[in-house]
Each structure stands twice: as C-alpha cells, then as structure tokens.
Amino acid sequence: MITNFAEKIDIFQFELHERNILMRIGHKNKPNKIYDTLINIIHEEKEKLKSLLHAAAVYKILDYSETNHHPIFKNADKVALSICTIGPGVESESRRLMKKDETLRGLVVDALGSEAAEEVAEQVDKILSKKARKMDLWPSRRFSPGYKNWDIKEQKYIFKILPAGDIGVTFTKSYMMVPRKSVSFRINFYRDKKLSKRKTQVIKA
C-alpha cells in the first residue's frame, strides 16, 4: 500500500545556455553568418519563452516494499519517482512557427523547450538527492523508462503512482508523454554508497 503523499513543485529557475541550444540544433558553435543569425534568434525567442513556460513537477519517495519490485529497484532502501513538464506552450509555438515557414526560429524554440525541460528535471534531481542525503542514503543517477533495463512500458507504473494529471501530463498508447516536453524518471536511494555510482557525490546532508 502506498502510504506517502506526492509533492508538487512549480517554482524553477532557467539558464538556457546558448551553447546547449546550439548543440541541440546541431550547430558546431563556430562563428559565421549562420551562427550570428542563430544567436540573435536565440536571444529573441528566449525572452518570449517566459510567457510560454508553465513548469511543474510531482514526485513521491517510496519505501522499496511499496514499489512493484522491478529488478531496477534491487538493493534500494527507497525509490523516488518523478514526472516533470514545462507545459504545452513551447511546442505549440514551435509548430506555429514551422507552419509559417519560419523553420529556423521554430527549431530554436523547440531546442529551448527541450533544454528547459531538462533543466526542470535536473533541479528536481537535486532536490531529491538532497532529500536522500538527509535520510543518510545515497542517491543513484536518474533514469527514465526506456533506459538501463527499465522498459518504456514502466511509464505506466510511474503514472499509476504519481498524480500526473495535477500538472497536466498524460501518456499515449506508445508510452510517450503529452506534453512532449516532459520527463519522467526514478532515483534509487541506497544505504551503501558504493551502489549509488553517482559521479558527483558532493551533495551535503
């Protein structure tokens, strides 16, 4: 029986570094005419993005006994599950621009959205990692369904545990999330630090 309640987060900070946006578009960050154009568009769309972002996340920390005992949770004392999103606004704007034949601008907006979704997931990751340390446990890296022997079908399990509807997220028959700029993941909390395998172990309790 699931005994603990899900928590919601709706306050996030966004950096959206230019170099990351350029990488997502596939530009090699070499100064030229295309680079200058891209930088200008990134600056313009980054300002507009503020009104399009509706970031939110839900998470729950379970005892291992409360999980579905999937092998991916083996040896974990607790498991944190989370769903994060930036809402549908960014992808709607990207589609609108594409339809207007403003392809480059549409790609930039899409890349900004992807980076924003990743930043939300990273911030939730940090929050959960700190909670692990306060419990005197060691957090693993975060993994989403579809990675590291955790089948994409396990998306259904995450949505069973978390009130994704509270942040406007659903999933399709192929287990893809809607809005598309959403991220789901788990973090295992271990007693044994060696099981964590997290590269950065500077998280303070």
Side-chain angles (χ1 to χ4, degrees):
M1 179 180 178
I2 306 304
T3 56
N4 42 354
F5 296 97
E7 299 285 344
K8 182 179 178 181
I9 308 170
D10 56 13
I11 299 175
F12 296 92
Q13 300 294 323
F14 295 97
E15 296 294 334
L16 304 176
H17 296 293
E18 291 173 5
R19 64 180 180 277
N20 294 342
I21 306 306
L22 291 169
M23 285 174 61
R24 287 183 180 276
I25 294 171
H27 194 276
K28 295 183 179 180
N29 203 22
K30 293 183 179 179
N32 53 36
K33 289 183 179 179
I34 296 177
Y35 173 85
D36 293 339
T37 300
L38 275 171
I39 293 300
N40 288 334
I41 292 176
I42 289 171
H43 287 168
E44 292 170 4
E45 295 304 326
K46 189 175 176 180
E47 283 301 310
K48 297 177 187 177
L49 203 70
K50 295 174 183 178
S51 63
L52 301 174
L53 290 173
H54 299 286
V58 286
Y59 72 84
K60 186 180 285 187
I61 300 172
L62 309 173
D63 289 333
Y64 173 78
S65 62
E66 296 173 314
T67 70
N68 63 354
H69 294 178
H70 189 285
I72 205 74
F73 304 138
K74 184 180 179 182
N75 297 320
D77 190 79
K78 294 182 183 293
V79 175
L81 299 175
S82 180
I83 298 172
C84 312
T85 188
I86 59 166
V90 174
E91 57 191 282
S92 294
E93 176 64 6
S94 178
R95 285 197 300 269
R96 185 188 72 81
L97 290 167
M98 294 286 193
K99 287 180 180 179
K100 288 179 62 181
D101 290 327
E102 294 187 52
T103 304
L104 184 56
R105 196 171 286 273
L107 287 172
V108 167
V109 170
D110 185 74
L112 284 165
S114 294
E115 188 65 15
E118 179 62 19
E119 288 189 9
V120 169
E122 287 180 357
Q123 289 174 55
V124 176
D125 181 316
K126 289 180 180 178
I127 289 170
L128 293 174
S129 296
K130 288 179 179 179
K131 286 182 177 292
R133 293 302 299 125
K134 286 181 179 179
M135 298 175 188
D136 201 26
L137 299 172
W138 295 94
S140 71
R141 290 181 293 156
R142 61 182 166 93
F143 290 103
S144 297
Y147 296 91
K148 292 290 183 179
N149 301 317
W150 203 26
D151 194 278
I152 187 66
K153 293 180 181 179
E154 290 298 311
Q155 193 82 276
K156 187 176 181 180
Y157 170 68
I158 296 178
F159 276 74
K160 178 182 177 181
I161 297 297
L162 296 174
D166 289 358
I167 57 171
V169 182
T170 60
F171 69 99
T172 67
K173 290 181 180 179
S174 58
Y175 305 100
M176 302 304 291
M177 285 180 288
V178 180
R180 188 166 54 88
K181 302 300 185 186
S182 302
V183 180
S184 62
F185 64 87
R186 60 91 182 169
I187 300 175
N188 288 356
F189 293 1
Y190 296 108
R191 289 284 175 194
D192 186 347
K193 181 179 179 180
K194 293 179 182 178
L195 294 174
S196 169
K197 296 182 180 179
R198 194 178 183 104
K199 291 182 179 180
T200 304
Q201 294 290 11
V202 296
I203 302 163
K204 297 181 179 179

